[in-house]
Structures are given as C-alpha cells and as structure tokens.
C-alpha cells in the first residue's frame, strides 16, 4: 500500500488587495452603479452587468454555467468577482487562485485544484445533539453483586438529578458514564451537561446558589 502525503497550499501570511470591497456598489432600487460605492470606483457598466449575473444566480438560472471576466491586467476583474461573491452573501466562499501556484514545481497541479475545489464547495454539516444540562442536586451510585462472583461489587447504574430554570430532571445513567463523572470530578453543586447520544460528560462550573 502506497501512502502519499498531500501538501497544503495554504499560505500563513497573505495580504489581499481587495479586502475593502463589500459589494458591487449598485443602487438597490434601480440597479445602477454608483460612481463610488462598496469599495469600488469606476467600471459602472461592468458592475451593472455583474449585478445582472447576481440576479440570475439568486433566481437559480445560472446553474451549471460559468462567468468569464476578460480584460487587461489591473482593470478590476478580481475586484468584480469578489463583489459578486459579497453580493451573494457571507455563505458564498471566494477562493482566489494565482497561476504561479498552479504551475509550481513543488506541489502537484491536481493538489492545487482539488484544494481550491474543496474551499469553493463550502459544505456545511449540521449536527443535532440532545443534551441534559443543569446543577447536580443528587448523585447516587447504585451497586450490585459482582456477576462473576467473589466479594467485589459492580456499579449497576448511576442516579443523577439535574436542576435548571425549567425544573428538575432525574436521570438513570449507564455504568460506563460513571468513569466520565469521576474523571471530571463532578459532585453535588456542580453545573454539568451530558450528551444523550455519546454519553460524554463535561463539568461547566460551580453553582453559586
């Protein structure tokens, strides 16, 4: 089995020349470009054309299509692209790519492209957790006879009562959670939470009441 390490192309220090751009600088009512607005100056016709592209994207009529901005160096192509991304909202990533990075001899071209594709996709994962949180008012460890015999005793379950602003709730916990309670050093009067799915235990602090 051959394993190759993928080198990261993320630069630790990079100062962008377009951080002042906050949009396309268009009038929200007429869509006409202001002479100076949102960090852009000039290029009124190009900004109004980009505003039409923004409207097409918002109406979902640009799916599967690309936008090509052509022009001489220094005419504002990157600034317009960033303005389009800013108009679409903070959830739309803007991933600039320099040609010298693609043709670098140190990193493969496919690694550069794949990393920028991952940034542009912008996948967001939302996870729902059921959490019990509150002040510990009761903590009882129930023991039972060791099923393997002998004189030892084993923990059958843990009874814990959590008090919050919505009331008190008593929980019967699995013996495996007792290790987490002992590790966190949880006692009566502590504020803690328990994740229902994983059984993770965390001590938040101490109650003043």
């Amino acid at each position: 089995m051959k394993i190759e390490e993928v080198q990261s192309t993320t630069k630790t220090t990079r100062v962008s020349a377009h951080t002042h751009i906050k949009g396309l600088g268009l009038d929200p009512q007429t869509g006409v470009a202001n002479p100076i607005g949102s960090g852009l100056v000039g290029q009124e016709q190009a900004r109004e054309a980009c505003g039409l592209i923004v409207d097409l994207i918002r109406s979902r009529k640009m799916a599967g299509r690309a936008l090509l901005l052509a022009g001489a160096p220094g005419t504002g192509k990157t600034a317009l692209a960033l303005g389009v991304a800013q108009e679409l909202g903070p959830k739309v990533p803007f991933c600039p790519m320099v040609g010298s990075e693609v043709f670098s001899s140190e990193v493969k071209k496919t690694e550069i492209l794949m990393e920028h594709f991952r940034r542009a996709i912008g996948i967001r994962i939302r996870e729902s957790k059921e959490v019990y949180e509150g002040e510990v008012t009761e903590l009882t460890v129930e023991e039972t006879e060791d099923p393997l015999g002998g004189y030892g005793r084993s923990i059958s379950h843990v009874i814990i009562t959590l008090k919050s602003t919505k009331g008190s709730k008593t929980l019967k916990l699995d013996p495996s959670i007792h290790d987490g309670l002992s590790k966190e050093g949880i006692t009566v009067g502590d504020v803690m939470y328990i994740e229902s799915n994983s059984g993770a235990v965390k001590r938040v602090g101490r109650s003043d009441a």
Side-chain angles (χ1 to χ4, degrees):
M1 179 182 295
K2 184 178 180 181
I3 301 177
E4 295 182 0
E5 182 180 354
V6 179
Q7 300 181 8
S8 176
T9 59
T10 304
K11 293 185 177 180
T12 55
T13 56
R14 178 171 181 173
V15 179
S16 177
H18 304 93
T19 54
H20 62 285
I21 297 176
K22 306 302 179 183
L24 293 174
L26 303 178
D27 187 275
Q29 302 296 332
T30 61
V32 178
N34 299 319
I36 301 176
S38 299
L40 292 176
V41 179
Q43 295 287 13
E44 286 87 356
Q45 295 182 356
R47 287 156 57 191
E48 293 174 1
C50 289
L52 297 177
I53 297 297
V54 171
D55 294 337
L56 290 175
I57 296 175
R58 287 174 176 172
S59 60
R60 301 180 181 181
K61 296 181 180 179
M62 280 286 292
R65 301 182 181 181
L67 175 63
L68 176 62
L69 301 177
T75 54
K77 299 184 296 297
T78 305
L80 290 174
L82 178 57
V84 171
Q86 295 284 3
E87 289 287 343
L88 293 175
K91 294 184 179 180
V92 177
F94 181 74
C95 307
M97 182 170 56
V98 184
S100 59
E101 296 180 1
V102 180
F103 294 96
S104 174
S105 59
E106 299 178 357
V107 185
K108 295 181 180 179
K109 300 179 180 63
T110 54
E111 295 179 6
I112 296 287
L113 296 176
M114 288 303 298
E115 182 165 346
H116 281 80
F117 278 134
R118 295 189 190 100
R119 295 177 186 173
I121 290 174
I123 297 179
R124 293 173 178 84
I125 300 176
R126 179 178 297 177
E127 181 181 3
S128 299
K129 295 182 179 180
E130 184 179 0
V131 177
Y132 298 99
E133 184 175 1
E135 177 190 353
V136 180
T137 58
E138 179 187 357
L139 181 59
T140 305
V141 179
E142 298 290 341
E143 296 182 346
T144 184
E145 298 292 338
D146 193 349
L148 301 178
Y151 298 99
R153 299 176 64 87
S154 61
I155 298 175
S156 61
H157 57 272
V158 178
I159 302 295
I160 187 171
T161 302
L162 298 178
K163 179 182 178 182
S164 63
T165 56
K166 298 181 180 180
S168 299
K169 181 170 293 188
T170 302
L171 305 175
K172 183 178 180 180
L173 307 178
D174 191 79
S176 59
I177 303 181
H178 180 264
D179 296 335
L181 296 174
S182 301
K183 184 178 179 180
E184 292 289 332
I186 295 175
T187 58
V188 176
D190 292 339
V191 179
M192 59 165 293
Y193 72 85
I194 305 173
E195 292 185 9
S196 177
N197 298 330
S198 62
V201 177
K202 181 67 176 178
R203 182 180 183 273
V204 180
R206 187 75 178 174
S207 176
D208 296 333

